[in-house]
Amino acid sequence: MTETLSPPRPTRLTISTEAIVANRRAVAAKCAASVEVAGVVKADGYGTGGPQAAVAMAADGARTFFVAHVGEGIDVRAALTAAGWTQARIFVLNGLLPGTEETLAAHGLAPVLGSLPEIEDWAAFGRDQDLPLPCAIHVDTGMNRHGLSLEEARALAARPDLVAASGADLVMSHLACADEPKHPLNALQLARFKSIRGLFPDISASLANSAGVFLGPEYHFDLVRPGIALYGGAIVSGQPSPMRPVVGLEATILQVRDVPHGESVGYGARQTVRRTSRLAVLSVGYADGFHRTASGADSAPGGSGHLAGHRVPIVGRISMDLLMVDVTDVPGAARGDRVELIGPHVSLQEVAKAMGTIDYEVLTSLGRRYQRVRV
């Protein structure tokens, strides 16, 4: 069944909810039956639609989800409730902003608390409500981004009354280099997290993100938090993704034009055609999240698309709403044809490499001007 999510537009983004569910199952297959597999649906489900992804995974058995912001959590909660999944847990990774306690509680959202002041404020709010409200405690084990220091975690463990009042039902940390399996920081973070886990023996523990799952069962603990793996992204740096692709991107040809040998193409005249060429103008640009770093130039090739069995390289600088591809070798290429920019012939990883970035940024940059089709 195909559901059209927006009016027809010249560029189409296809999202496979079935593939998201299959990818979560593939992650679960790496884990013991006792390990819960959550779904990270922050950044609007990595650009694929966070509420829709959460509902699909809930229907397949997921009961815990992670978002970054309160607003994301409200949207996911509404979608899950409408679909009948009222008991799902939703953790808000970016913590407790002052004054948001009532909003979190009203929508059944659990903040991930990474500082003692946050924990004290959340515990105080719970006392005012005459019951502890759930949360997670984030401990920094080596990323130096978010979370209690090891010393602060030990100080918290020495205050069991505060831990109980906070309602904490998960202690977690985040791996910095899990996509590099041999990086020494992985083992160091694991050892540190084991020591912290021992301070909170009655609370569930979570360390592994997508790549952490693939480091092995000692990293899994009670709950794993796959994100990019759910959406078809690469797991190990520099290696193809073992997951099913989730998104496909096609752009419509607006015009096919002949360009004489020696003429330049696009803003800045960065690329000159080396033969008399037929160029197709596509209705997609950097305003749609197709970054201009994938532009073609005389000094270096850019990205490419696929049309009718042929690679079609991007020529010249990508502009806000348009880009050009070389269709000289594609017989019959015409206005109205659709060029694949992400799909079975042009992987997400290839596009990210052409843009000089990572899968995450490509996915989360995909804009709102696409016709979004969920299949």
Side-chain angles (χ1 to χ4, degrees):
M1 179 180 179
T2 298
E3 176 190 359
T4 301
L5 304 182
S6 59
R9 300 180 185 185
T11 310
R12 180 167 60 198
L13 181 68
T14 303
I15 302 164
S16 174
T17 304
E18 178 186 356
I20 295 173
V21 171
N23 287 337
R24 180 179 172 275
R25 290 178 181 174
V27 170
K30 295 282 185 181
C31 302
S34 60
V35 176
E36 182 179 1
V37 180
V40 178
V41 293
K42 64 180 181 176
D44 196 28
Y46 288 52
T48 70
Q52 296 92 334
V55 168
M57 287 188 280
D60 195 58
R63 292 296 178 267
T64 300
F65 301 92
F66 288 83
V67 298
H69 302 302
V70 174
E72 293 178 337
I74 291 172
D75 291 343
V76 170
R77 173 63 72 198
L80 289 170
T81 299
W85 309 109
T86 57
Q87 300 304 309
R89 296 191 299 174
I90 302 174
F91 288 99
V92 180
L93 289 164
N94 284 15
L96 179 65
L97 290 174
T100 60
E101 292 90 345
E102 290 188 4
T103 301
L104 286 158
H107 294 278
L109 306 177
V112 176
L113 307 177
S115 69
L116 289 173
E118 286 179 282
I119 294 169
E120 290 166 349
D121 286 352
W122 186 247
F125 178 73
R127 291 190 192 99
D128 290 343
Q129 307 302 308
D130 293 326
L131 78 164
L133 298 169
C135 72
I137 295 172
H138 190 118
V139 180
D140 174 45
T141 54
M143 195 167 185
N144 287 299
R145 186 178 65 173
H146 180 229
L148 298 171
S149 68
L150 300 178
E151 293 75 16
E152 288 172 325
R154 295 185 186 104
L156 176 64
R159 300 174 62 185
D161 57 331
L162 179 57
V163 176
S166 75
D169 58 7
L170 185 70
V171 60
M172 58 183 284
S173 191
H174 193 66
L175 294 163
C177 302
D179 61 336
E180 301 176 51
K182 296 182 180 180
H183 199 290
L185 186 55
N186 294 323
L188 178 59
Q189 286 193 264
L190 176 62
R192 288 172 173 172
F193 189 68
K194 285 180 176 179
S195 70
I196 293 302
R197 200 261 179 98
L199 298 175
F200 304 95
D202 299 324
I203 302 177
S204 295
S206 177
L207 176 63
N209 53 6
S210 290
V213 171
F214 287 76
L215 289 177
E218 61 184 334
Y219 286 83
H220 295 173
F221 293 93
D222 301 303
L223 179 146
V224 296
R225 313 185 308 272
I228 193 65
L230 300 176
Y231 308 104
I235 306 301
V236 177
S237 181
Q239 295 187 16
S241 174
M243 315 309 291
R244 281 183 52 179
V246 170
V247 301
L249 179 61
E250 296 177 314
T252 303
I253 296 177
L254 301 178
Q255 180 187 37
V256 178
R257 59 185 302 117
D258 295 323
V259 178
H261 170 264
E263 287 286 317
S264 63
V265 178
Y267 282 119
R270 297 284 302 279
Q271 188 164 10
T272 302
V273 297
R274 301 303 182 188
R275 59 177 177 172
T276 297
S277 303
R278 296 180 71 240
L279 302 186
V281 182
L282 306 185
S283 182
V284 63
Y286 61 75
D288 304 292
F290 208 86
H291 303 318
R292 68 202 296 261
T293 47
S295 300
D298 289 337
S299 58
S304 64
H306 187 272
L307 175 64
H310 296 267
R311 282 275 173 166
V312 288
I314 295 173
V315 182
R317 185 175 284 170
I318 295 169
S319 57
M320 183 181 291
D321 312 300
L322 302 168
L323 64 79
M324 285 76 75
V325 294
D326 189 336
V327 296
T328 308
D329 298 323
V330 185
R335 182 171 64 95
D337 289 346
R338 289 185 178 271
V339 175
E340 175 191 318
L341 295 174
I342 303 175
H345 304 98
V346 187
S347 71
L348 176 62
Q349 290 73 48
E350 180 182 340
V351 174
K353 183 177 180 179
M355 292 180 179
T357 186
I358 55 177
D359 302 8
Y360 303 73
E361 186 173 9
V362 177
L363 285 173
T364 58
S365 296
L366 296 174
R368 291 293 173 188
R369 299 199 295 186
Y370 299 118
Q371 176 192 5
R372 290 182 168 235
V373 179
R374 197 170 298 276
V375 297

